[in-house]
Amino acid sequence: MSSTKYLIGGGVVIAALALTPLYISSRVDAKLDETKRFLEGHGFKQEMLSKSGYVNGTRTFTLEIDDAAKVRDFILDTLVAKNPQYAILAQGLTQEDDADIREVLGGLSFKGEVVCSHLLPSDVTVSLALAKLPRSVQESLSQNPDVAKVLNPIFDKGALAFSMIFGSAERLKSVAMKDIKEELAMKEGTVQIDTSGNALTLHERAGVMQGVLGIQKQLFGVNASDLTLQSRLENLRYTFDYKDDLNNKGDFSLGSYLLSIKEPYSTLNMSLGGMKIMSSAEESNKQWNAKAEYALNGLNAASNAESVSLETLNATLALKGVDAATIKKLQNDYNRLMLAPQGGGEQALVGDVSELIRHGLKLDFNVGLKNMRGVLALKDVTLTSTLQISQNDFDANSNPLSAVTLLDVSAKFKLHKDDRTTLEALNLTAPSDFALGKAEGDFFVYDIAFKKGVLSVNDQAIQ
């Protein structure tokens, strides 16, 4: 009897496991049908083509932009709902003639595939490959068979494709572009495309979207009788945390970039050895602070007429002590003014700026460059500066220019002796101003101050 109970229990478990894929598969089908109706309500046309697999299911489909104006409105509405600051951009785009957007996007079609497990909760992979260009482009290709002969095989084999991974909560986790390595033979020459390692990963935690965008390599080349072009980018990486416009941070780096263009009567060669940008913005203790750092290395550009080069450029910017409530109000008032220019919102902006000035702030700005050559040649120049406005009773309605007297600026300008000779020759200021510099080895140093409307250099007032 005991053995019989175990056999029955085991049979129930086996039956449940056997039926689970069918149950989950039906739920997936229901969800896909719901998604289809949702997309069709926003200008897309979707058709399921096939379904296969028992434990792991694969479904194929087509997705076409049927009503481009609806698609545009849907994308813009979604964007503005999550990022209100884009309302101005959205308004401008929705005011464009619907016929224009239909010509650009109407008929754009993809072949797709959905892969997921029917047994256990897991990520869902959705792949899309470009199948057809917009109808207007298709009509142009029909009149240009040489171009169509080159492009159509690319679409047929799904070379232009990307895949998306969604988590169990239906949130997008990553987007990856399919590696492309194609050489297209055209009547006028050849086009080379070689791109790899292009992906975006996303993760949301406590209302903060975290992401990483990476590009390992992008190469685009043209070799024709009247044009030779090569654009090569390597090792781009951008990591970011985004909560809103006032609370975010990002870290951008670029390994190298090369651009070469040769035409019958002109050439251009440009290279960049590397670039890094770091930025952050944070609201804390009712104040808003923001900072950014920039670094550029090994910039070289040359054409028939001239050349420019720069060994390094470094800059930092830090804004501190801004009243958080006022900066939010300024942003909202600016958006309202742009959306309704005739609504008389200028006065609100003036009031916001006045309140920011009354509250006070501090701005640090530093920049340095080495070995710049070109129209202007500089060997070594650095500037460190601080601008500060203390809390005050500023009133823009009485005398807007009175804000100048509130500025407290201190700066140190340091330049190589050879650079001083170069700048003196430009006659940007009187020779007597350059003479105020203090010699320190191979450099001249200028301590600059601007207080209560008076400018001085090394403690000597400038008239």
Side-chain angles (χ1 to χ4, degrees):
M1 182 68 181
S2 176
S3 299
T4 303
K5 289 193 294 184
Y6 285 130
L7 288 172
I8 294 173
V12 170
V13 171
I14 292 173
L17 289 175
L19 292 174
T20 294
L22 297 177
Y23 171 70
I24 294 180
S25 176
S26 66
R27 290 188 61 186
V28 172
D29 290 339
K31 185 64 181 178
L32 290 174
D33 190 55
E34 178 186 336
T35 301
K36 176 182 178 180
R37 292 194 299 272
F38 175 82
L39 291 173
E40 288 178 346
H42 293 90
F44 294 92
K45 182 169 68 175
Q46 181 182 342
E47 180 183 356
M48 299 301 298
L49 300 178
S50 67
K51 174 183 173 181
S52 61
Y54 180 66
V55 175
N56 293 307
T58 299
R59 295 161 176 82
T60 62
F61 63 94
T62 61
L63 183 66
E64 179 182 338
I65 294 180
D66 188 46
D67 189 329
K70 278 188 176 182
V71 172
R72 175 201 60 198
D73 295 343
F74 165 62
I75 294 173
L76 292 177
D77 289 345
T78 304
L79 179 66
V80 173
K82 294 182 177 294
N83 305 278
Q85 69 273 15
Y86 292 117
I88 300 168
L89 172 65
Q91 184 187 58
L93 292 175
T94 53
Q95 289 175 345
E96 297 290 334
D97 191 337
D98 289 352
D100 294 336
I101 192 66
R102 290 192 179 101
E103 184 175 358
V104 173
L105 293 179
L108 187 67
S109 178
F110 298 87
K111 291 181 179 178
E113 182 180 82
V114 179
V115 179
C116 64
S117 172
H118 289 165
L119 185 62
L120 298 172
S122 65
D123 292 342
V124 177
T125 300
V126 178
S127 302
L128 290 174
L130 183 61
K132 292 182 180 178
L133 293 170
R135 297 186 189 96
S136 60
V137 180
Q138 294 179 42
E139 292 175 3
S140 298
L141 287 177
S142 66
Q143 300 172 12
N144 195 333
D146 290 335
V147 177
K149 184 179 179 181
V150 174
L151 295 181
N152 287 336
I154 296 177
F155 302 142
D156 293 341
K157 63 183 179 182
L160 304 178
F162 62 94
S163 62
M164 300 172 286
I165 297 178
F166 294 85
S168 56
E170 300 179 16
R171 293 186 181 276
L172 179 64
K173 294 174 63 175
S174 68
V175 180
M177 183 177 176
K178 182 179 179 180
D179 291 350
I180 303 173
K181 193 174 182 64
E182 297 284 342
E183 185 166 315
L184 313 178
M186 305 184 70
K187 185 176 181 181
E188 299 82 5
T190 59
V191 176
Q192 181 185 10
I193 304 173
D194 188 354
T195 176
S196 62
N198 304 331
L200 170 66
T201 59
L202 299 170
H203 178 70
E204 186 174 356
R205 178 179 297 172
V208 177
M209 180 61 71
Q210 301 173 328
V212 179
L213 171 65
I215 299 176
Q216 183 179 346
K217 178 178 68 174
Q218 280 191 351
L219 172 65
F220 178 77
V222 176
N223 191 353
S225 59
D226 58 350
L227 173 66
T228 301
L229 180 149
Q230 185 180 75
S231 173
R232 184 185 185 95
L233 179 151
E234 292 189 351
N235 298 326
L236 182 150
R237 183 178 175 85
Y238 176 54
T239 62
F240 61 89
D241 291 3
Y242 182 86
K243 182 179 180 181
D244 54 47
D245 274 4
L246 300 181
N247 297 274
N248 55 77
K249 62 180 179 179
D251 188 342
F252 172 88
S253 65
L254 173 64
S256 64
Y257 179 71
L258 172 69
L259 174 66
S260 176
I261 302 175
K262 295 182 180 180
E263 297 179 290
Y265 302 104
S266 65
T267 61
L268 171 65
N269 292 290
M270 190 190 82
S271 63
L272 179 62
M275 178 188 295
K276 291 185 178 181
I277 301 174
M278 293 183 289
S279 65
S280 66
E282 182 181 18
E283 181 185 352
S284 177
N285 297 324
K286 298 182 179 180
Q287 293 189 341
W288 182 67
N289 305 312
K291 62 181 180 180
E293 299 179 9
Y294 307 87
L296 184 149
N297 301 304
L299 173 65
N300 295 279
S303 65
N304 293 37
E306 58 187 356
S307 63
V308 176
S309 65
L310 179 64
E311 183 179 325
T312 61
L313 172 66
N314 294 282
T316 61
L317 180 71
L319 183 60
K320 305 174 184 176
V322 178
D323 184 62
T326 305
I327 198 71
K328 289 179 182 178
K329 185 174 182 300
L330 174 65
Q331 183 185 57
N332 293 333
D333 288 342
Y334 175 80
N335 287 340
R336 278 194 288 269
L337 177 62
M338 294 297 102
L339 290 171
Q342 309 304 321
E346 296 89 347
Q347 195 60 39
L349 286 182
V350 172
D352 296 337
V353 173
S354 299
E355 181 59 32
L356 288 178
I357 294 175
R358 280 193 294 271
H359 183 273
L361 54 85
K362 182 180 180 182
L363 174 66
D364 293 322
F365 175 68
N366 307 313
V367 62
L369 60 86
K370 290 186 177 181
N371 294 329
M372 182 172 75
R373 296 289 182 268
V375 177
L376 179 63
L378 295 173
K379 185 176 291 186
D380 194 338
V381 177
T382 59
L383 171 69
T384 59
S385 63
T386 298
L387 180 152
Q388 190 164 359
I389 300 177
S390 301
Q391 192 170 356
N392 58 83
D393 56 358
F394 172 74
D395 184 359
N397 294 322
S398 58
N399 184 6
L401 294 179
S402 63
V404 176
T405 62
L406 301 174
L407 298 177
D408 186 345
V409 182
S410 60
K412 177 174 285 189
F413 184 53
K414 183 178 178 181
L415 73 161
H416 195 273
K417 60 183 182 181
D418 295 343
D419 298 333
R420 171 172 160 171
T421 302
T422 300
L423 295 176
E424 283 180 332
L426 297 176
N427 295 320
L428 298 175
T429 64
S432 57
D433 296 337
F434 279 105
L436 297 176
K438 296 183 296 185
E440 292 185 4
D442 290 335
F443 294 85
F444 285 96
V445 176
Y446 299 82
D447 288 316
I448 303 169
F450 183 80
K451 296 182 179 181
K452 297 181 179 180
V454 178
L455 175 66
S456 65
V457 177
N458 290 338
D459 298 325
Q460 297 190 43
I462 301 297
Q463 301 299 324

